[in-house]
Amino acid sequence: MPTDPLLLQERHALILQRLQTDGRVLAPDLAQWLQVSEDTIRRDLRDLAAAGLCQKVYGGALRMPLPAAPGGTPAQRRAAQTGRKARLAAAAAPCVAPGSVVFIDAGSTNLAIAAALGEHRLTVITNAPAVAAALIDKPLIELVVIGGRIHAETGASIGATALRELELISPDLYILGACGVDAQAGVSAIHFEEAEFKRRVASLSKTVLVATTNDKVGTAAPYAVLAAASLSALVAEHDIDARQADAFAARGVRVLRAAKP
């Protein structure tokens, strides 16, 4: 780092560059690197956070994940990236132990996982009619459907009736449908009620798995569902961003990669 004092804009640019590379920065390290006081760095981080360029935390800042993109209607999501989702399903299905109780959330990737489940005894709970329809002809699977009004955009029951019915369950595994997946921001959802429902299922489940395509990795939706460290497993595409994969693994998450196409 040059010894000449840096302009404010230059400091901000260097801090953002470090955030993009490392995902997080600490004020003492930045102060030493940029040869300014920690008070100056803290003011810089407050300015960057106010501009929506980072997330200010105690002692430093985190990279701001990209906003999760809306996924379209359930039918549109089912028709998109079918090959990728089939490979994710093949990698995720072995995580479902014979004889276990698994909750399969709504989502096109989760629908592919349901279709990929083997012919062994299993109890599947779901709030998604499409997932139930994929399983109804599998004779060894006991199917339990959480009811209530279907939310049109998610294709699932997520309201008060569904929340009440959750109190009767205790899944061994929750296959969570995520809108945003980021090592810093965790798992997130686009709709408030959807996030509330997912949080409750996760709290009732022994383990939680998320299977996701690359377009959702490194993004965050408006409503938080689960911290990254609370995931048991992340099933990702073979070419997931290495920094994200390493960051999840560092938080104790088992990272599984789907096969190459």
Side-chain angles (χ1 to χ4, degrees), residues 105-212:
D105 203 0
S108 53
T109 301
N110 287 357
L111 179 59
I113 294 172
L117 291 179
E119 298 297 328
H120 49 66
R121 294 199 177 275
L122 194 67
T123 298
V124 174
I125 307 168
T126 186
N127 62 327
V131 171
L135 296 171
I136 199 164
D137 290 328
K138 297 194 176 189
L140 296 181
I141 292 181
E142 181 179 351
L143 185 59
V144 179
V145 178
I146 298 294
R149 184 178 66 87
I150 300 298
H151 185 269
E153 291 183 49
T154 61
S157 299
I158 56 175
T161 300
L163 282 169
R164 283 196 300 272
E165 292 182 7
L166 288 183
E167 302 310 314
L168 303 173
I169 70 170
S170 181
D172 298 303
L173 172 65
Y174 176 28
I175 300 178
L176 192 165
C179 301
V181 180
D182 182 78
Q184 301 287 354
V187 179
S188 51
I190 289 176
H191 303 285
F192 176 82
E193 282 188 328
E194 179 187 19
E196 181 183 24
F197 183 89
K198 293 176 189 291
R199 282 194 300 269
R200 186 57 183 146
V201 181
S203 72
L204 294 167
S205 303
K206 296 180 179 67
T207 56
V208 182
L209 175 150
V210 165
T212 182

Side-chain angles (χ1 to χ4, degrees), residues 51-124:
L53 298 174
C54 72
Q55 180 183 353
K56 182 75 173 67
V57 296
Y58 181 78
L62 302 176
R63 172 181 55 80
M64 189 70 77
L66 296 171
T73 67
Q76 290 169 334
R77 293 195 297 273
R78 287 194 296 271
Q81 302 180 330
T82 54
R84 293 182 177 188
K85 292 168 185 176
R87 289 188 289 273
L88 287 169
C95 297
V96 180
S100 63
V101 177
V102 57
F103 192 108
I104 302 181
D105 203 0
S108 53
T109 301
N110 287 357
L111 179 59
I113 294 172
L117 291 179
E119 298 297 328
H120 49 66
R121 294 199 177 275
L122 194 67
T123 298
V124 174

Side-chain angles (χ1 to χ4, degrees), residues 221-247:
Y223 300 104
V225 175
L226 204 64
S230 297
L231 276 181
S232 308
L234 174 67
V235 182
E237 296 192 72
H238 75 280
D239 55 350
I240 181 179
D241 183 285
R243 291 173 297 179
Q244 283 282 332
D246 291 345

